[in-house]
Amino acid sequence: MKNKTPRSGFAMMLVLVFIVLFLGFLGVALRQTAAALRIESVRIMQIQRDEGSVHAVARGLALLETGLPPADPYVCGIDINTSTGIRSFTVTFATEGEGQWSVQSVATPAGDSPQMMPASFAPETP
């Protein structure tokens, strides 16, 4: 009498199925992780890009609260300390209608040296 069951190789097939499923789940997890890392990297680069410009516009708006610029448009420069070091920005003040001012900030191109931003737009008292 033979008592051998015809199940030879069943364990090997189970191991192969497990390995295929594990690699599939690992691939999905790595794709999700890579996407999350790319999103975070872009967000950090956007923050670093906008860091100085936002501070320059904020200083320009604070300066606009002291009075009106002497010319329209008025262009001045400012040095902002950012996480990547000191960067120069050119701030432009221009009217956009009756009593409405626009404040824009761009990185100062190499070789440009606009006059530095004054401490106040208030008229000087003699």
Side-chain angles (χ1 to χ4, degrees), residues 23-117:
L23 289 176
F25 288 137
L26 187 64
V28 170
L30 287 178
R31 189 171 8 170
Q32 296 293 330
T33 304
L37 286 174
R38 279 193 304 273
I39 290 170
E40 283 301 309
S41 297
V42 168
R43 189 184 66 81
I44 288 171
M45 288 189 317
Q46 287 174 340
I47 288 171
Q48 287 176 346
R49 179 197 65 201
D50 295 339
E51 179 182 23
S53 184
V54 170
H55 289 289
V57 168
R59 293 241 184 118
L61 290 173
L63 181 62
L64 198 56
E65 289 177 354
T66 65
L68 297 178
D72 183 23
Y74 181 74
V75 178
C76 60
I78 187 168
D79 293 331
I80 302 290
N81 190 9
T82 65
S83 61
T84 59
I86 295 178
R87 294 177 55 198
S88 296
F89 291 91
T90 301
V91 181
T92 305
F93 299 88
T95 58
E96 288 193 345
E98 191 66 33
Q100 295 181 0
W101 285 85
S102 165
V103 181
Q104 296 179 347
S105 168
V106 295
T108 302
D112 259 3
S113 57
Q115 69 178 6
M116 294 309 288
M117 185 180 284

